[in-house]
Amino acid sequence: AQDMNRFLENAWISAIVDIVMKHQDQWEKYVEDTRDSVAGYESLEHLFQCLAVLMSNQLRQAVVSSLHSFESFLLPYQDGNAYDGEYSDLMFTRKQVVTLKIIVDQEGNVTHQPKLEELHTLLRETCEEVILSGSQIPRVESRIFADSERSIPGDQMILKSCTLEDEHNFMVQSTLRDIVDKNR
């Protein structure tokens, strides 16, 4: 998550800052040409708010797309190991993502290695990492006006994206849990 977060901050946000600064003459006039500087600043804030909404939507879309890509990677295994009819050697030619060992101890107790709950935890944590990679990304104006007297509180200077409580996260995790359960 940290690598993707750094990439988004250093590459994506920096590229947008460069574009905005390249066209500074277009938006700077909101403040300079207005007799009432409050109205000018409000217009400028509105411009940057629109930019933040667009960028938040793109960020959210990227996170949701990544979650669904991870889900799609495991979907071919959704039918599990059950089969009807006669067994054939070529029925299960798909490469395993995880090898699950079944261990029977001397008393006849059966355990899995890794434990199924460990697989569920690993998949949940992977989804959480994808979501966290899109969190705490600063808004463009936090870079442009870093030294400005008119500062906005820090929590308002972060792009909005998916959260751990997001419906997409729960749906993907539910699908992945079902896939693991069908493959035991």
Side-chain angles (χ1 to χ4, degrees):
Q2 290 176 351
D3 290 342
M4 180 53 73
N5 198 286
R6 266 192 302 275
F7 170 78
L8 289 170
E9 277 193 54
N10 296 333
W12 186 51
I13 297 297
S14 295
I16 302 297
V17 167
D18 290 344
I19 292 169
V20 170
M21 293 308 292
K22 180 179 176 184
H23 299 285
Q24 184 174 358
D25 59 321
Q26 298 297 312
W27 55 264
E28 203 172 47
K29 63 185 175 188
Y30 283 124
V31 178
E32 292 176 354
D33 293 346
T34 307
R35 288 187 186 151
D36 181 9
S37 65
V38 173
Y41 278 111
E42 286 175 356
S43 295
L44 188 60
E45 286 175 4
H46 182 71
L47 171 73
F48 282 107
Q49 180 64 31
C50 290
L51 182 60
V53 169
L54 289 171
M55 292 177 70
S56 291
N57 288 341
Q58 289 178 334
L59 184 58
R60 179 177 173 75
Q61 185 179 25
V63 169
V64 168
S65 178
S66 295
L67 283 172
H68 287 297
S69 292
F70 182 54
E71 179 184 41
S72 295
F73 172 72
L74 293 173
L75 275 179
Y77 301 93
Q78 70 183 347
D79 294 333
N81 295 321
Y83 63 93
D84 291 327
E86 194 172 316
Y87 175 78
S88 166
D89 288 348
L90 298 176
M91 288 177 71
F92 301 105
T93 57
R94 199 175 301 123
K95 186 174 178 149
Q96 298 92 5
V97 175
V98 174
T99 301
L100 187 67
K101 295 179 183 178
I102 299 176
I103 301 169
V104 181
D105 64 17
Q106 293 178 352
E107 289 95 36
N109 297 319
V110 176
T111 58
H112 299 97
Q113 188 180 17
K115 293 181 175 155
L116 291 177
E117 199 50 47
E118 290 173 356
L119 289 175
H120 290 298
T121 300
L122 175 66
L123 295 173
R124 178 183 46 79
E125 288 174 351
T126 302
C127 290
E128 289 173 1
E129 284 292 313
V130 168
I131 290 171
L132 292 175
S133 70
S135 67
Q136 299 300 310
I137 306 297
R139 288 173 50 163
V140 168
E141 62 269 35
S142 70
R143 292 271 180 89
I144 294 173
F145 303 113
D147 300 327
S148 174
E149 294 176 15
R150 289 182 55 102
S151 62
I152 299 172
D155 61 335
Q156 294 179 13
M157 294 303 288
I158 301 295
L159 294 172
K160 306 292 186 234
S161 180
C162 294
T163 64
L164 296 177
E165 294 78 30
D166 197 287
E167 180 182 350
H168 290 285
N169 182 28
F170 291 126
M171 289 173 35
V172 169
Q173 284 188 41
S174 176
T175 300
L176 298 179
R177 184 178 271 288
D178 290 345
I179 291 170
V180 169
D181 290 343
K182 288 179 182 176
N183 280 280
R184 44 173 156 172

